[in-house]
Amino acid sequence: MTNQLSRSLLVTSAAVLALAGLLHASAFNKAAAAVASSNLPVLYANVLKAFWLMNSTTLILLAIIFGLIATRPHVATGSVVMLMAFIPAAIAALLYMFMGMFIPAHMLLAAAAMAFFAGLLRERKV
């Protein structure tokens, strides 16, 4: 039962992270247009665009990793899953800090919590 619950939590977390990453990537052109119409120095404008896509890439890759662990549980321990859950949690914390209450931050926090508890269930083997 615990194994199935852990897998379900990981799959749901992966789905949320994949959706978040894809939505974020799909907004890149709007962000790039906003940067182009700003008076940011070129270096900062390019850094902002790179960071935009880095965040999308991070979320999508983490979704793939969680999906892999859900389908092949032997590839990672519960501790590793719990540690990886801190990635979306940290991104959510930064969003809360700089943007306040923001739906994407809630999504990332939920995905992080699901992954963390999935790892905890795997670690405890209850």
Side-chain angles (χ1 to χ4, degrees):
M1 177 67 172
T2 299
N3 191 27
Q4 186 58 39
L5 179 57
S6 175
R7 286 180 172 194
S8 296
L9 287 169
L10 274 177
V11 166
T12 306
S13 178
V16 169
L17 291 171
L19 176 65
L22 291 171
L23 287 173
H24 197 264
S26 72
F28 175 75
N29 288 335
K30 287 183 181 180
V35 168
S37 66
S38 73
N39 63 351
L40 283 173
V42 174
L43 175 66
Y44 293 115
N46 289 335
V47 165
L48 188 115
K49 290 188 284 187
F51 281 168
W52 189 277
L53 292 177
M54 280 188 252
N55 188 52
S56 300
T57 303
T58 298
L59 297 176
I60 292 167
L61 289 174
L62 197 55
I64 292 168
I65 292 168
F66 284 163
L68 173 69
I69 295 169
T71 58
R72 297 185 178 166
H74 64 278
V75 301
T77 65
S79 298
V80 169
V81 174
M82 288 187 289
L83 284 172
M84 286 190 302
F86 284 108
I87 297 169
I91 295 169
L94 291 168
L95 287 173
Y96 286 129
M97 185 184 315
F98 290 105
M99 300 179 77
M101 293 300 198
F102 187 54
I103 290 174
H106 302 329
M107 289 173 64
L108 293 179
L109 188 59
M114 286 185 280
F116 185 85
F117 286 117
L120 189 62
L121 287 170
R122 291 166 51 91
E123 195 67 22
R124 293 180 65 209
K125 294 182 176 85
V126 174

PDB file of all heavy atoms in Angstrom, residues 45-81:
ATOM      1  N   ALA A  45      19.648  41.554 -19.633  1.00  0.00           N
ATOM      2  CA  ALA A  45      18.532  41.080 -20.449  1.00  0.00           C
ATOM      3  C   ALA A  45      18.759  39.631 -20.868  1.00  0.00           C
ATOM      4  O   ALA A  45      17.849  38.796 -20.788  1.00  0.00           O
ATOM      5  CB  ALA A  45      18.361  41.973 -21.681  1.00  0.00           C
ATOM      6  N   ASN A  46      19.962  39.318 -21.279  1.00  0.00           N
ATOM      7  CA  ASN A  46      20.275  37.953 -21.687  1.00  0.00           C
ATOM      8  C   ASN A  46      20.279  36.991 -20.503  1.00  0.00           C
ATOM      9  O   ASN A  46      19.840  35.836 -20.627  1.00  0.00           O
ATOM     10  CB  ASN A  46      21.603  37.903 -22.426  1.00  0.00           C
ATOM     11  CG  ASN A  46      21.506  38.523 -23.795  1.00  0.00           C
ATOM     12  OD1 ASN A  46      20.426  38.570 -24.386  1.00  0.00           O
ATOM     13  ND2 ASN A  46      22.614  39.018 -24.312  1.00  0.00           N
ATOM     14  N   VAL A  47      20.750  37.457 -19.365  1.00  0.00           N
ATOM     15  CA  VAL A  47      20.734  36.623 -18.161  1.00  0.00           C
ATOM     16  C   VAL A  47      19.296  36.305 -17.773  1.00  0.00           C
ATOM     17  O   VAL A  47      18.967  35.155 -17.445  1.00  0.00           O
ATOM     18  CB  VAL A  47      21.481  37.326 -16.996  1.00  0.00           C
ATOM     19  CG1 VAL A  47      21.174  36.669 -15.667  1.00  0.00           C
ATOM     20  CG2 VAL A  47      22.980  37.334 -17.260  1.00  0.00           C
ATOM     21  N   LEU A  48      18.423  37.288 -17.835  1.00  0.00           N
ATOM     22  CA  LEU A  48      17.032  37.065 -17.487  1.00  0.00           C
ATOM     23  C   LEU A  48      16.391  36.024 -18.415  1.00  0.00           C
ATOM     24  O   LEU A  48      15.692  35.117 -17.967  1.00  0.00           O
ATOM     25  CB  LEU A  48      16.238  38.371 -17.538  1.00  0.00           C
ATOM     26  CG  LEU A  48      14.835  38.206 -16.984  1.00  0.00           C
ATOM     27  CD1 LEU A  48      14.678  39.036 -15.723  1.00  0.00           C
ATOM     28  CD2 LEU A  48      13.814  38.609 -18.006  1.00  0.00           C
ATOM     29  N   LYS A  49      16.660  36.129 -19.700  1.00  0.00           N
ATOM     30  CA  LYS A  49      16.117  35.152 -20.646  1.00  0.00           C
ATOM     31  C   LYS A  49      16.684  33.752 -20.378  1.00  0.00           C
ATOM     32  O   LYS A  49      15.947  32.758 -20.427  1.00  0.00           O
ATOM     33  CB  LYS A  49      16.394  35.589 -22.087  1.00  0.00           C
ATOM     34  CG  LYS A  49      15.573  36.800 -22.498  1.00  0.00           C
ATOM     35  CD  LYS A  49      15.697  37.115 -23.967  1.00  0.00           C
ATOM     36  CE  LYS A  49      17.019  37.768 -24.285  1.00  0.00           C
ATOM     37  NZ  LYS A  49      17.106  38.233 -25.688  1.00  0.00           N
ATOM     38  N   ALA A  50      17.966  33.681 -20.086  1.00  0.00           N
ATOM     39  CA  ALA A  50      18.574  32.381 -19.784  1.00  0.00           C
ATOM     40  C   ALA A  50      17.966  31.789 -18.516  1.00  0.00           C
ATOM     41  O   ALA A  50      17.616  30.594 -18.485  1.00  0.00           O
ATOM     42  CB  ALA A  50      20.086  32.527 -19.629  1.00  0.00           C
ATOM     43  N   PHE A  51      17.830  32.602 -17.475  1.00  0.00           N
ATOM     44  CA  PHE A  51      17.244  32.110 -16.227  1.00  0.00           C
ATOM     45  C   PHE A  51      15.803  31.652 -16.435  1.00  0.00           C
ATOM     46  O   PHE A  51      15.353  30.695 -15.811  1.00  0.00           O
ATOM     47  CB  PHE A  51      17.305  33.172 -15.135  1.00  0.00           C
ATOM     48  CG  PHE A  51      18.647  33.314 -14.483  1.00  0.00           C
ATOM     49  CD1 PHE A  51      18.918  34.393 -13.668  1.00  0.00           C
ATOM     50  CD2 PHE A  51      19.657  32.387 -14.678  1.00  0.00           C
ATOM     51  CE1 PHE A  51      20.148  34.533 -13.054  1.00  0.00           C
ATOM     52  CE2 PHE A  51      20.894  32.515 -14.073  1.00  0.00           C
ATOM     53  CZ  PHE A  51      21.140  33.598 -13.250  1.00  0.00           C
ATOM     54  N   TRP A  52      15.078  32.341 -17.293  1.00  0.00           N
ATOM     55  CA  TRP A  52      13.694  31.956 -17.579  1.00  0.00           C
ATOM     56  C   TRP A  52      13.659  30.513 -18.104  1.00  0.00           C
ATOM     57  O   TRP A  52      12.896  29.684 -17.620  1.00  0.00           O
ATOM     58  CB  TRP A  52      13.086  32.914 -18.606  1.00  0.00           C
ATOM     59  CG  TRP A  52      11.615  32.720 -18.776  1.00  0.00           C
ATOM     60  CD1 TRP A  52      11.000  31.789 -19.562  1.00  0.00           C
ATOM     61  CD2 TRP A  52      10.586  33.443 -18.123  1.00  0.00           C
ATOM     62  NE1 TRP A  52       9.646  31.897 -19.447  1.00  0.00           N
ATOM     63  CE2 TRP A  52       9.358  32.913 -18.558  1.00  0.00           C
ATOM     64  CE3 TRP A  52      10.579  34.500 -17.216  1.00  0.00           C
ATOM     65  CZ2 TRP A  52       8.140  33.404 -18.129  1.00  0.00           C
ATOM     66  CZ3 TRP A  52       9.360  34.985 -16.784  1.00  0.00           C
ATOM     67  CH2 TRP A  52       8.159  34.439 -17.230  1.00  0.00           C
ATOM     68  N   LEU A  53      14.499  30.238 -19.088  1.00  0.00           N
ATOM     69  CA  LEU A  53      14.513  28.901 -19.671  1.00  0.00           C
ATOM     70  C   LEU A  53      15.176  27.874 -18.759  1.00  0.00           C
ATOM     71  O   LEU A  53      14.820  26.693 -18.789  1.00  0.00           O
ATOM     72  CB  LEU A  53      15.183  28.932 -21.044  1.00  0.00           C
ATOM     73  CG  LEU A  53      14.374  29.687 -22.112  1.00  0.00           C
ATOM     74  CD1 LEU A  53      15.148  29.743 -23.418  1.00  0.00           C
ATOM     75  CD2 LEU A  53      13.006  29.064 -22.317  1.00  0.00           C
ATOM     76  N   MET A  54      16.121  28.302 -17.925  1.00  0.00           N
ATOM     77  CA  MET A  54      16.742  27.384 -16.972  1.00  0.00           C
ATOM     78  C   MET A  54      15.710  26.857 -15.986  1.00  0.00           C
ATOM     79  O   MET A  54      15.711  25.671 -15.641  1.00  0.00           O
ATOM     80  CB  MET A  54      17.871  28.069 -16.206  1.00  0.00           C
ATOM     81  CG  MET A  54      19.166  28.157 -16.963  1.00  0.00           C
ATOM     82  SD  MET A  54      20.463  28.768 -15.880  1.00  0.00           S
ATOM     83  CE  MET A  54      20.685  30.403 -16.534  1.00  0.00           C
ATOM     84  N   ASN A  55      14.823  27.737 -15.539  1.00  0.00           N
ATOM     85  CA  ASN A  55      13.797  27.313 -14.595  1.00  0.00           C
ATOM     86  C   ASN A  55      12.860  26.298 -15.251  1.00  0.00           C
ATOM     87  O   ASN A  55      12.534  25.273 -14.659  1.00  0.00           O
ATOM     88  CB  ASN A  55      13.011  28.522 -14.081  1.00  0.00           C
ATOM     89  CG  ASN A  55      12.070  28.143 -12.969  1.00  0.00           C
ATOM     90  OD1 ASN A  55      12.462  27.516 -11.995  1.00  0.00           O
ATOM     91  ND2 ASN A  55      10.810  28.495 -13.124  1.00  0.00           N
ATOM     92  N   SER A  56      12.451  26.578 -16.480  1.00  0.00           N
ATOM     93  CA  SER A  56      11.582  25.641 -17.196  1.00  0.00           C
ATOM     94  C   SER A  56      12.271  24.290 -17.363  1.00  0.00           C
ATOM     95  O   SER A  56      11.658  23.232 -17.138  1.00  0.00           O
ATOM     96  CB  SER A  56      11.224  26.203 -18.575  1.00  0.00           C
ATOM     97  OG  SER A  56      10.553  27.428 -18.453  1.00  0.00           O
ATOM     98  N   THR A  57      13.522  24.314 -17.735  1.00  0.00           N
ATOM     99  CA  THR A  57      14.289  23.082 -17.932  1.00  0.00           C
ATOM    100  C   THR A  57      14.421  22.299 -16.633  1.00  0.00           C
ATOM    101  O   THR A  57      14.257  21.074 -16.619  1.00  0.00           O
ATOM    102  CB  THR A  57      15.687  23.417 -18.500  1.00  0.00           C
ATOM    103  OG1 THR A  57      15.518  24.150 -19.709  1.00  0.00           O
ATOM    104  CG2 THR A  57      16.497  22.167 -18.762  1.00  0.00           C
ATOM    105  N   THR A  58      14.704  22.992 -15.554  1.00  0.00           N
ATOM    106  CA  THR A  58      14.840  22.339 -14.252  1.00  0.00           C
ATOM    107  C   THR A  58      13.554  21.619 -13.872  1.00  0.00           C
ATOM    108  O   THR A  58      13.577  20.462 -13.439  1.00  0.00           O
ATOM    109  CB  THR A  58      15.207  23.371 -13.173  1.00  0.00           C
ATOM    110  OG1 THR A  58      16.459  23.961 -13.502  1.00  0.00           O
ATOM    111  CG2 THR A  58      15.283  22.738 -11.792  1.00  0.00           C
ATOM    112  N   LEU A  59      12.423  22.287 -14.042  1.00  0.00           N
ATOM    113  CA  LEU A  59      11.148  21.682 -13.669  1.00  0.00           C
ATOM    114  C   LEU A  59      10.825  20.470 -14.534  1.00  0.00           C
ATOM    115  O   LEU A  59      10.366  19.440 -14.025  1.00  0.00           O
ATOM    116  CB  LEU A  59      10.027  22.726 -13.763  1.00  0.00           C
ATOM    117  CG  LEU A  59      10.157  23.921 -12.812  1.00  0.00           C
ATOM    118  CD1 LEU A  59       9.041  24.923 -13.070  1.00  0.00           C
ATOM    119  CD2 LEU A  59      10.174  23.469 -11.371  1.00  0.00           C
ATOM    120  N   ILE A  60      11.073  20.573 -15.828  1.00  0.00           N
ATOM    121  CA  ILE A  60      10.777  19.454 -16.725  1.00  0.00           C
ATOM    122  C   ILE A  60      11.703  18.263 -16.443  1.00  0.00           C
ATOM    123  O   ILE A  60      11.252  17.112 -16.390  1.00  0.00           O
ATOM    124  CB  ILE A  60      10.854  19.906 -18.195  1.00  0.00           C
ATOM    125  CG1 ILE A  60       9.693  20.878 -18.491  1.00  0.00           C
ATOM    126  CG2 ILE A  60      10.827  18.715 -19.141  1.00  0.00           C
ATOM    127  CD1 ILE A  60       9.822  21.630 -19.792  1.00  0.00           C
ATOM    128  N   LEU A  61      12.976  18.529 -16.233  1.00  0.00           N
ATOM    129  CA  LEU A  61      13.906  17.432 -15.927  1.00  0.00           C
ATOM    130  C   LEU A  61      13.573  16.777 -14.592  1.00  0.00           C
ATOM    131  O   LEU A  61      13.656  15.546 -14.463  1.00  0.00           O
ATOM    132  CB  LEU A  61      15.352  17.928 -15.943  1.00  0.00           C
ATOM    133  CG  LEU A  61      15.912  18.259 -17.317  1.00  0.00           C
ATOM    134  CD1 LEU A  61      17.305  18.869 -17.193  1.00  0.00           C
ATOM    135  CD2 LEU A  61      15.947  17.017 -18.193  1.00  0.00           C
ATOM    136  N   LEU A  62      13.192  17.563 -13.603  1.00  0.00           N
ATOM    137  CA  LEU A  62      12.808  16.998 -12.316  1.00  0.00           C
ATOM    138  C   LEU A  62      11.539  16.150 -12.462  1.00  0.00           C
ATOM    139  O   LEU A  62      11.431  15.088 -11.846  1.00  0.00           O
ATOM    140  CB  LEU A  62      12.596  18.123 -11.300  1.00  0.00           C
ATOM    141  CG  LEU A  62      12.588  17.747  -9.836  1.00  0.00           C
ATOM    142  CD1 LEU A  62      13.859  16.996  -9.454  1.00  0.00           C
ATOM    143  CD2 LEU A  62      12.458  18.994  -8.983  1.00  0.00           C
ATOM    144  N   ALA A  63      10.620  16.596 -13.308  1.00  0.00           N
ATOM    145  CA  ALA A  63       9.417  15.802 -13.578  1.00  0.00           C
ATOM    146  C   ALA A  63       9.791  14.459 -14.196  1.00  0.00           C
ATOM    147  O   ALA A  63       9.242  13.412 -13.819  1.00  0.00           O
ATOM    148  CB  ALA A  63       8.479  16.575 -14.503  1.00  0.00           C
ATOM    149  N   ILE A  64      10.719  14.475 -15.129  1.00  0.00           N
ATOM    150  CA  ILE A  64      11.169  13.230 -15.767  1.00  0.00           C
ATOM    151  C   ILE A  64      11.824  12.309 -14.739  1.00  0.00           C
ATOM    152  O   ILE A  64      11.563  11.097 -14.714  1.00  0.00           O
ATOM    153  CB  ILE A  64      12.126  13.537 -16.935  1.00  0.00           C
ATOM    154  CG1 ILE A  64      11.360  14.223 -18.075  1.00  0.00           C
ATOM    155  CG2 ILE A  64      12.821  12.269 -17.427  1.00  0.00           C
ATOM    156  CD1 ILE A  64      12.244  14.832 -19.146  1.00  0.00           C
ATOM    157  N   ILE A  65      12.655  12.876 -13.881  1.00  0.00           N
ATOM    158  CA  ILE A  65      13.333  12.070 -12.856  1.00  0.00           C
ATOM    159  C   ILE A  65      12.313  11.461 -11.890  1.00  0.00           C
ATOM    160  O   ILE A  65      12.383  10.264 -11.575  1.00  0.00           O
ATOM    161  CB  ILE A  65      14.378  12.916 -12.096  1.00  0.00           C
ATOM    162  CG1 ILE A  65      15.532  13.284 -13.033  1.00  0.00           C
ATOM    163  CG2 ILE A  65      14.885  12.172 -10.863  1.00  0.00           C
ATOM    164  CD1 ILE A  65      16.457  14.351 -12.485  1.00  0.00           C
ATOM    165  N   PHE A  66      11.350  12.250 -11.429  1.00  0.00           N
ATOM    166  CA  PHE A  66      10.334  11.709 -10.520  1.00  0.00           C
ATOM    167  C   PHE A  66       9.497  10.636 -11.217  1.00  0.00           C
ATOM    168  O   PHE A  66       9.122   9.638 -10.603  1.00  0.00           O
ATOM    169  CB  PHE A  66       9.434  12.818  -9.974  1.00  0.00           C
ATOM    170  CG  PHE A  66      10.077  13.653  -8.896  1.00  0.00           C
ATOM    171  CD1 PHE A  66       9.535  14.881  -8.556  1.00  0.00           C
ATOM    172  CD2 PHE A  66      11.203  13.232  -8.212  1.00  0.00           C
ATOM    173  CE1 PHE A  66      10.100  15.662  -7.558  1.00  0.00           C
ATOM    174  CE2 PHE A  66      11.787  14.004  -7.221  1.00  0.00           C
ATOM    175  CZ  PHE A  66      11.220  15.218  -6.883  1.00  0.00           C
ATOM    176  N   GLY A  67       9.197  10.848 -12.488  1.00  0.00           N
ATOM    177  CA  GLY A  67       8.469   9.835 -13.241  1.00  0.00           C
ATOM    178  C   GLY A  67       9.260   8.547 -13.356  1.00  0.00           C
ATOM    179  O   GLY A  67       8.707   7.447 -13.211  1.00  0.00           O
ATOM    180  N   LEU A  68      10.549   8.673 -13.618  1.00  0.00           N
ATOM    181  CA  LEU A  68      11.418   7.493 -13.694  1.00  0.00           C
ATOM    182  C   LEU A  68      11.449   6.754 -12.361  1.00  0.00           C
ATOM    183  O   LEU A  68      11.333   5.525 -12.322  1.00  0.00           O
ATOM    184  CB  LEU A  68      12.843   7.910 -14.092  1.00  0.00           C
ATOM    185  CG  LEU A  68      13.897   6.814 -14.040  1.00  0.00           C
ATOM    186  CD1 LEU A  68      13.642   5.780 -15.131  1.00  0.00           C
ATOM    187  CD2 LEU A  68      15.287   7.398 -14.182  1.00  0.00           C
ATOM    188  N   ILE A  69      11.578   7.489 -11.271  1.00  0.00           N
ATOM    189  CA  ILE A  69      11.630   6.848  -9.953  1.00  0.00           C
ATOM    190  C   ILE A  69      10.296   6.172  -9.629  1.00  0.00           C
ATOM    191  O   ILE A  69      10.269   5.111  -9.009  1.00  0.00           O
ATOM    192  CB  ILE A  69      12.021   7.871  -8.866  1.00  0.00           C
ATOM    193  CG1 ILE A  69      13.458   8.373  -9.107  1.00  0.00           C
ATOM    194  CG2 ILE A  69      11.898   7.269  -7.472  1.00  0.00           C
ATOM    195  CD1 ILE A  69      13.850   9.571  -8.270  1.00  0.00           C
ATOM    196  N   ALA A  70       9.200   6.783 -10.061  1.00  0.00           N
ATOM    197  CA  ALA A  70       7.885   6.169  -9.813  1.00  0.00           C
ATOM    198  C   ALA A  70       7.738   4.856 -10.571  1.00  0.00           C
ATOM    199  O   ALA A  70       7.154   3.902 -10.059  1.00  0.00           O
ATOM    200  CB  ALA A  70       6.775   7.137 -10.216  1.00  0.00           C
ATOM    201  N   THR A  71       8.289   4.804 -11.776  1.00  0.00           N
ATOM    202  CA  THR A  71       8.154   3.578 -12.573  1.00  0.00           C
ATOM    203  C   THR A  71       9.231   2.542 -12.252  1.00  0.00           C
ATOM    204  O   THR A  71       9.012   1.353 -12.443  1.00  0.00           O
ATOM    205  CB  THR A  71       8.201   3.883 -14.086  1.00  0.00           C
ATOM    206  OG1 THR A  71       9.421   4.526 -14.414  1.00  0.00           O
ATOM    207  CG2 THR A  71       7.017   4.752 -14.487  1.00  0.00           C
ATOM    208  N   ARG A  72      10.374   3.001 -11.792  1.00  0.00           N
ATOM    209  CA  ARG A  72      11.480   2.104 -11.427  1.00  0.00           C
ATOM    210  C   ARG A  72      12.014   2.502 -10.052  1.00  0.00           C
ATOM    211  O   ARG A  72      13.055   3.166  -9.941  1.00  0.00           O
ATOM    212  CB  ARG A  72      12.586   2.193 -12.464  1.00  0.00           C
ATOM    213  CG  ARG A  72      12.107   1.723 -13.816  1.00  0.00           C
ATOM    214  CD  ARG A  72      13.206   1.702 -14.794  1.00  0.00           C
ATOM    215  NE  ARG A  72      12.674   1.201 -16.052  1.00  0.00           N
ATOM    216  CZ  ARG A  72      13.288   1.286 -17.179  1.00  0.00           C
ATOM    217  NH1 ARG A  72      14.478   1.841 -17.240  1.00  0.00           N
ATOM    218  NH2 ARG A  72      12.743   0.806 -18.276  1.00  0.00           N
ATOM    219  N   PRO A  73      11.320   2.113  -9.010  1.00  0.00           N
ATOM    220  CA  PRO A  73      11.653   2.565  -7.651  1.00  0.00           C
ATOM    221  C   PRO A  73      13.077   2.240  -7.199  1.00  0.00           C
ATOM    222  O   PRO A  73      13.620   2.936  -6.332  1.00  0.00           O
ATOM    223  CB  PRO A  73      10.639   1.833  -6.770  1.00  0.00           C
ATOM    224  CG  PRO A  73       9.547   1.428  -7.675  1.00  0.00           C
ATOM    225  CD  PRO A  73      10.153   1.253  -9.027  1.00  0.00           C
ATOM    226  N   HIS A  74      13.694   1.235  -7.775  1.00  0.00           N
ATOM    227  CA  HIS A  74      15.031   0.826  -7.331  1.00  0.00           C
ATOM    228  C   HIS A  74      16.124   1.833  -7.725  1.00  0.00           C
ATOM    229  O   HIS A  74      17.242   1.734  -7.232  1.00  0.00           O
ATOM    230  CB  HIS A  74      15.370  -0.551  -7.890  1.00  0.00           C
ATOM    231  CG  HIS A  74      15.449  -0.579  -9.380  1.00  0.00           C
ATOM    232  ND1 HIS A  74      14.325  -0.685 -10.176  1.00  0.00           N
ATOM    233  CD2 HIS A  74      16.505  -0.486 -10.222  1.00  0.00           C
ATOM    234  CE1 HIS A  74      14.694  -0.661 -11.444  1.00  0.00           C
ATOM    235  NE2 HIS A  74      16.009  -0.547 -11.507  1.00  0.00           N
ATOM    236  N   VAL A  75      15.831   2.808  -8.581  1.00  0.00           N
ATOM    237  CA  VAL A  75      16.878   3.720  -9.047  1.00  0.00           C
ATOM    238  C   VAL A  75      17.220   4.817  -8.043  1.00  0.00           C
ATOM    239  O   VAL A  75      18.231   5.500  -8.210  1.00  0.00           O
ATOM    240  CB  VAL A  75      16.549   4.355 -10.420  1.00  0.00           C
ATOM    241  CG1 VAL A  75      16.367   3.291 -11.482  1.00  0.00           C
ATOM    242  CG2 VAL A  75      15.349   5.262 -10.340  1.00  0.00           C
ATOM    243  N   ALA A  76      16.396   4.991  -6.991  1.00  0.00           N
ATOM    244  CA  ALA A  76      16.702   6.034  -5.998  1.00  0.00           C
ATOM    245  C   ALA A  76      16.108   5.659  -4.647  1.00  0.00           C
ATOM    246  O   ALA A  76      15.044   5.057  -4.575  1.00  0.00           O
ATOM    247  CB  ALA A  76      16.150   7.375  -6.451  1.00  0.00           C
ATOM    248  N   THR A  77      16.802   6.049  -3.612  1.00  0.00           N
ATOM    249  CA  THR A  77      16.301   5.821  -2.260  1.00  0.00           C
ATOM    250  C   THR A  77      15.308   6.919  -1.887  1.00  0.00           C
ATOM    251  O   THR A  77      15.223   7.959  -2.545  1.00  0.00           O
ATOM    252  CB  THR A  77      17.455   5.843  -1.243  1.00  0.00           C
ATOM    253  OG1 THR A  77      18.017   7.164  -1.219  1.00  0.00           O
ATOM    254  CG2 THR A  77      18.529   4.827  -1.582  1.00  0.00           C
ATOM    255  N   GLY A  78      14.603   6.688  -0.804  1.00  0.00           N
ATOM    256  CA  GLY A  78      13.681   7.702  -0.303  1.00  0.00           C
ATOM    257  C   GLY A  78      14.402   8.981   0.079  1.00  0.00           C
ATOM    258  O   GLY A  78      13.886  10.084  -0.133  1.00  0.00           O
ATOM    259  N   SER A  79      15.604   8.846   0.612  1.00  0.00           N
ATOM    260  CA  SER A  79      16.381  10.032   1.003  1.00  0.00           C
ATOM    261  C   SER A  79      16.715  10.899  -0.206  1.00  0.00           C
ATOM    262  O   SER A  79      16.662  12.130  -0.127  1.00  0.00           O
ATOM    263  CB  SER A  79      17.677   9.617   1.699  1.00  0.00           C
ATOM    264  OG  SER A  79      17.396   8.920   2.877  1.00  0.00           O
ATOM    265  N   VAL A  80      17.057  10.260  -1.317  1.00  0.00           N
ATOM    266  CA  VAL A  80      17.369  11.012  -2.530  1.00  0.00           C
ATOM    267  C   VAL A  80      16.125  11.739  -3.028  1.00  0.00           C
ATOM    268  O   VAL A  80      16.193  12.906  -3.420  1.00  0.00           O
ATOM    269  CB  VAL A  80      17.946  10.069  -3.619  1.00  0.00           C
ATOM    270  CG1 VAL A  80      18.030  10.766  -4.960  1.00  0.00           C
ATOM    271  CG2 VAL A  80      19.310   9.557  -3.188  1.00  0.00           C
ATOM    272  N   VAL A  81      14.988  11.074  -2.992  1.00  0.00           N
ATOM    273  CA  VAL A  81      13.736  11.703  -3.416  1.00  0.00           C
ATOM    274  C   VAL A  81      13.433  12.907  -2.519  1.00  0.00           C
ATOM    275  O   VAL A  81      13.063  13.984  -3.011  1.00  0.00           O
ATOM    276  CB  VAL A  81      12.570  10.691  -3.396  1.00  0.00           C
ATOM    277  CG1 VAL A  81      11.239  11.379  -3.682  1.00  0.00           C
ATOM    278  CG2 VAL A  81      12.823   9.574  -4.395  1.00  0.00           C
TER     279      VAL A  81
END
